[in-house]
Amino acid sequence: MGFWQRARYIDRRIIFLLMLLGVGLPLLTNIGLPVRVTRDVGNVYDYIEGLNPGDVILISYDHDTGTLPEMIPMSDAILRHAFSRNLHLVGMALRAEGTAIGRQNFRRIGAEYGREEGKDFVFLGFRPEITAAILGLGTSIERVFPKDDRDIPISEIELMNTVRNYGDIALVISISDDDTPVYWVNYANARFKAKVVPAVTAVMATTFFPFIDSGQIRGMIAGLKGAAEYEKLIKIPGRAGRGMDAQSIAHMVMIGFIIMGNIAYFMSRKGK
Amino acid sequence: MLIQFFIPSKLSSSVYNEITNWAQLIYAFALIVGVFGLVKYHLGRVSRKSDGWIYNLVTVVSLFLMAFLGFAFGRKDGGAFMWIFNYFQAPMQASVFSLLAFFVASAAYRGFQARNTEAVLLLLSAVFIMFGIASVGNSIPPFAEIANWILMNPSMTARRGIFIGVGLGTIAVSLRVILGVERTYLGKE
């Protein structure tokens, strides 16, 4: 077996090791690669920046724990921006695991800004059956969520006295690792004219480009890159910036593998 | 639901609200049926000592442990339920997902080869997108522009085609069900 033939069938543990170095080293050091803000993320920032203090944003945690490293920096950046602008936040989840994730995030970032649960923000909890839940919110939030996540009746929560349905919500953000934001677009936007923004994993981004083009969504935050762009816009460095260094180097390693794999493929064919 | 959309009235609105309520109730009961099926399947494998039965046992024990902790002590921050969620479930699931990077790298090296025209197009798209999205390439205008063009034109066109196809298919199947042409969901031919 010639050199190129052996190179084609290289031990996969070498590939794993190089990938580990590509991902691990940037996380241990602070490279600080540049981040360029794209139009879609800028649109989300501008829209939230244009809201008045006291306006309400509904954030739905529609993902599970598998994608936490990609979703949490995104959620942190949005929450920091909203709390710093004195906006009111209503949280919920259309995935069971999103309940614990969202509730903890709301309380953690809310505490950073001294915000009070029930007055400045509220977390409603989880509801199954996406379509019925999204449609139900358009008629009455209290009908879908009679109590919040702490088991306090909605009627007894100060913030919820003025928030009855999508008409009282300035923006809906679905933080998701699947196509749940499509349901928000189809039912909350198309049916009730709610303004929707998907904050999704990078692999899901292409699903939502047609909705940006048609004006059905205000913008989009996609993947760790989107989160890093948002951190740059709010001028608060977070985990996304460092994660983006690792992702960028990992992409370079991957491109290197593709080029090397093809060289080995053509050279071994030439040698036959 | 359809009538309520086109003929809004007090009666149709209340029917619509009832249906959305029932949909959530039915889904909640479907979860119970799902849990029952899951437990039955895994306990069956444990009792038969099938290959890897220990993993089936772990699944059942984890399910009941989390349910017990949640019902007995609540889901408050800092409690046992949240401790297991934060320090077991979340890192384990994220780790499994992270393994993808390693397997994708291995697959890219071995399988992403320019064997024919379609493979060359796929390969070039992947390289331009990856480089254009990475911080380094994103700062170099031509690469960022090419990546953006691929995403906003060929990729979006394909995605639109899929959406339109799914939409037309849904309408066609819905009409077949409404008109009684499609009866397979009733167990008929």
Side-chain angles (χ1 to χ4, degrees), chain B residues 106-143:
Chain B
S106 174
Y109 182 80
R110 292 167 199 279
F112 228 159
Q113 286 155 357
R115 295 171 200 270
N116 51 42
T117 317
E118 288 88 347
V120 172
L121 287 173
L122 192 65
L123 199 150
L124 287 175
S125 300
V127 169
F128 275 116
I129 298 280
M130 272 196 283
F131 194 64
I133 283 177
S135 298
V136 184
N138 198 244
S139 307
I140 307 168
F143 285 104

Side-chain angles (χ1 to χ4, degrees), chain A residues 36-245:
Chain A
R36 194 169 67 103
V37 177
T38 54
R39 187 196 56 184
D40 300 336
V41 176
N43 285 346
V44 180
Y45 174 84
D46 290 342
Y47 186 78
I48 294 178
E49 196 66 17
L51 295 176
N52 296 314
D55 281 348
V56 179
I57 299 180
L58 172 71
I59 301 181
S60 184
Y61 287 82
D62 307 332
H63 64 92
D64 61 26
T65 48
T67 49
L68 270 184
E70 206 170 356
M71 312 313 280
I72 289 297
M74 210 181 278
S75 160
D76 285 0
I78 296 167
L79 291 178
R80 286 195 173 107
H81 188 204
F83 280 132
S84 70
R85 300 263 309 121
N86 277 323
L87 300 174
H88 289 156
L89 296 173
V90 176
M92 58 173 280
L94 293 175
R95 292 279 179 279
E97 290 161 313
T99 319
I101 298 164
R103 186 182 62 228
Q104 292 185 107
N105 268 22
F106 263 51
R107 288 183 185 160
R108 181 168 53 85
I109 307 293
E112 279 181 23
Y113 290 84
R115 299 289 180 251
E116 196 182 321
E117 187 161 5
K119 193 177 159 206
D120 301 305
F121 69 92
V122 63
F123 198 83
L124 299 173
F126 162 69
R127 278 294 171 273
E129 222 299 299
I130 300 172
T131 310
I134 296 173
L135 283 173
L137 293 175
T139 315
S140 163
I141 293 175
E142 191 176 4
R143 199 169 56 77
V144 180
F145 291 99
K147 291 178 177 179
D148 79 347
D149 196 53
R150 301 165 297 168
D151 258 354
I152 296 176
I154 291 295
S155 55
E156 293 174 18
I157 298 171
E158 189 184 330
L159 170 60
M160 297 310 289
N161 288 336
T162 52
V163 186
R164 284 173 292 273
N165 52 39
Y166 293 124
D168 304 312
I169 291 169
L171 182 67
V172 175
I173 300 176
S174 170
I175 302 178
S176 172
D177 55 8
D178 60 14
D179 66 349
T180 304
V182 173
Y183 291 84
W184 283 105
V185 173
N186 285 348
Y187 298 109
N189 173 263
R191 182 82 173 80
F192 298 101
K193 310 292 174 217
K195 291 162 185 75
V196 175
V197 160
V200 292
T201 47
V203 289
M204 289 307 298
T206 54
T207 304
F208 301 99
F209 286 132
F211 297 115
I212 291 177
D213 210 39
S214 63
Q216 286 170 284
I217 54 177
R218 292 270 148 181
M220 174 168 64
I221 305 173
L224 211 53
K225 184 174 181 292
E229 291 174 35
Y230 212 91
E231 283 178 358
K232 187 180 177 181
L233 285 166
I234 61 170
K235 299 183 181 68
I236 302 174
R239 281 184 277 184
R242 187 169 284 195
M244 200 52 212
D245 287 348

